[in-house]
Amino acid sequence: MRSIWNGAISFGLVSIPIKLVNATESHSISFRQIHVSDGGRVRYRKVCELDGEEVPAAEIGKGYEEADGSIVPITDEDLARLPIPTAKTIEIVSFVPAEEIDPLQMDAAYYLAANGATAAKPYTLLREALKRSRKVAIAKYALRGRERLGMLRVVDDVIAMHGLLWPDEIRQPEGVAPEASVTVREAELDLADALMATLGEVEIASLHDDYREAVEAMLAAKTGEGFEPAEAVVEPAGGQVIDLMAALESSVRAAKASRAGGPADSAESATEAEVTPIRGRRTPAASAPAPKAVGGKKSTASTGAAKKTAAAKKTAAGGKKSTATAKGAGGTKSGSGSGARSTKSASASGAKSAGTGRASAAGATAGTGTAKKAAPRKRSSA
């Protein structure tokens, strides 16, 4: 790789000759400006304001414009004579934990290569010291006409340097955060954690630039004169999002289906069909009430039996004071009265539960049976 800067790393009294190499490259596709009517290329011409003539790059220099509009010429020799120790030196000023560096300060990245055989030993020493300390080095250096701040760290077996913005170049985030007071529930945080855990399993190396690939395919088709612009496929938006919890739940399901290699249709249908879960719905078996007619008959029968027993006891008490004939007549009367009361009670209960006359017949039969059972008790007492 071609170096863009030659100098040395100043590590205390140790000097390490190095070459600076770009660690990144841009794969974006560049376009030219053209005249739409005839396809001619549009170029920028650098013209002198005084004589109106175009100036070649070899005759263009630097200058500083003052407040009144006058220009002060600045030459490369003027910049080289500045009393800056970092003009050709990467001067390490401190070693700090990597966590103390704000990612907002990160700028361009470079590789530092040892320049010559004599640089191999001190280069390796600095690299291993950074590894063992688990810290990064903060350094100052000059590049492209200005002094910069940098961070040195180890990448594999190479020392890399990240350009850093100066602290006063980082803007404060005033007025950026939401002004309204918002409360986040624990359940929403749990779902957000689940979604983060699912999406966090992707490998960075598997990501690629879809837009650049589409542009390259379009250019290849255009150069072959067989290009036909296709309509962009727009994914369906899915169901209307009613609340944040539903959106999080659907997102977790869709992410899990995507990571598991499931079909995209299943994730989309889950998003559309289950936006908001239905709560409080019970199965028919659990919610169906017991039939009232059955319960009514049981309660009527038990009530009628209790009344018949009480009537039989009263009849037995009265039979002791009367004659045998009176006993039979009283028993019949008592049985008839008891049966009538049972019939009346059963009829009322049956009318409420089933609305038929079956309960009256059942009550009359039960009353007659009770009277017959009570009669022998009277004869035995006599």
Side-chain angles (χ1 to χ4, degrees), residues 2-326:
R2 185 176 63 89
S3 63
I4 61 172
W5 185 86
N6 293 338
I9 299 175
S10 175
F11 179 33
L13 297 178
V14 178
S15 181
I16 310 171
I18 55 96
K19 295 184 294 184
L20 194 68
V21 179
N22 279 322
T24 61
E25 59 184 357
S26 175
H27 291 164
S28 61
I29 299 174
S30 300
F31 297 103
R32 302 294 186 185
Q33 291 184 333
I34 62 171
H35 190 194
V36 177
S37 61
D38 55 14
R41 183 176 174 183
V42 177
R43 298 177 180 270
Y44 290 102
R45 299 175 57 196
K46 298 182 179 180
V47 178
C48 178
E49 292 182 352
L50 297 179
D51 54 20
E53 296 182 0
E54 185 176 357
V55 182
E59 298 181 7
I60 298 177
K62 298 182 181 69
Y64 174 77
E65 184 177 2
E66 293 185 325
D68 58 357
S70 60
I71 303 295
V72 179
I74 303 295
T75 64
D76 293 338
E77 290 75 12
D78 295 334
L79 296 175
R81 287 195 296 266
L82 292 176
I84 300 177
T86 58
K88 283 293 183 180
T89 304
I90 299 175
E91 182 182 1
I92 295 178
V93 295
S94 66
F95 294 88
V96 299
E99 295 79 14
E100 293 186 7
I101 304 301
D102 191 343
L104 285 174
Q105 291 185 257
M106 295 289 185
D107 202 357
Y110 308 95
Y111 289 135
L112 303 181
N115 192 3
T118 57
K121 179 72 174 181
Y123 184 94
T124 305
L125 173 63
L126 177 59
R127 183 190 66 195
E128 296 303 317
L130 288 173
K131 281 184 179 180
R132 189 168 70 172
S133 66
R134 297 182 180 179
K135 293 183 177 181
V136 297
I138 303 300
K140 296 170 67 176
Y141 65 100
L143 180 65
R144 298 188 180 99
R146 59 181 290 239
E147 189 175 49
R148 304 170 186 265
L149 194 63
M151 178 189 74
L152 277 63
R153 69 185 185 96
V154 178
V155 178
D156 295 334
D157 289 332
V158 177
I159 299 176
M161 182 175 69
H162 295 269
L164 299 178
L165 299 175
W166 295 99
D168 59 358
E169 292 179 323
I170 305 297
R171 300 174 63 184
Q172 296 298 322
E174 296 177 357
V176 179
E179 296 181 358
S181 178
V182 179
T183 302
V184 180
R185 295 179 293 172
E186 291 294 332
E188 294 171 341
L189 285 174
D190 293 340
L191 284 174
D193 290 340
L195 180 59
M196 291 168 61
T198 305
L199 297 178
E201 296 174 359
V202 67
E203 296 182 1
I204 299 298
S206 65
L207 302 178
H208 57 279
D209 189 349
D210 294 330
Y211 179 80
R212 178 174 60 87
E213 291 180 358
V215 172
E216 290 176 348
M218 179 265 292
L219 293 176
K222 264 186 171 294
T223 53
E225 297 182 357
F227 174 73
E228 294 182 2
E231 295 183 1
V233 178
V234 180
E235 295 291 339
Q240 182 182 1
V241 178
I242 297 178
D243 55 27
L244 183 59
M245 288 291 293
L248 288 171
E249 291 172 357
S250 300
S251 299
V252 171
R253 286 194 298 269
K256 288 182 178 179
S258 176
R259 293 295 179 267
D265 295 340
S266 61
E268 291 178 2
S269 61
T271 305
E272 294 179 4
E274 300 184 16
V275 175
T276 301
I278 300 176
R279 298 181 177 86
R281 176 177 292 182
R282 293 180 291 182
T283 59
S287 59
K292 293 183 179 180
V294 177
K297 290 180 180 181
K298 291 182 179 179
S299 61
T300 304
S302 59
T303 305
K307 291 181 178 180
K308 294 167 192 175
T309 305
K313 291 181 179 180
K314 291 180 180 180
T315 305
K320 292 179 182 180
K321 298 179 182 180
S322 61
T323 58
T325 306

Side-chain angles (χ1 to χ4, degrees), residues 349-366:
S349 301
K352 292 181 181 178
S353 59
T356 62
R358 296 179 182 177
S360 299
T365 305

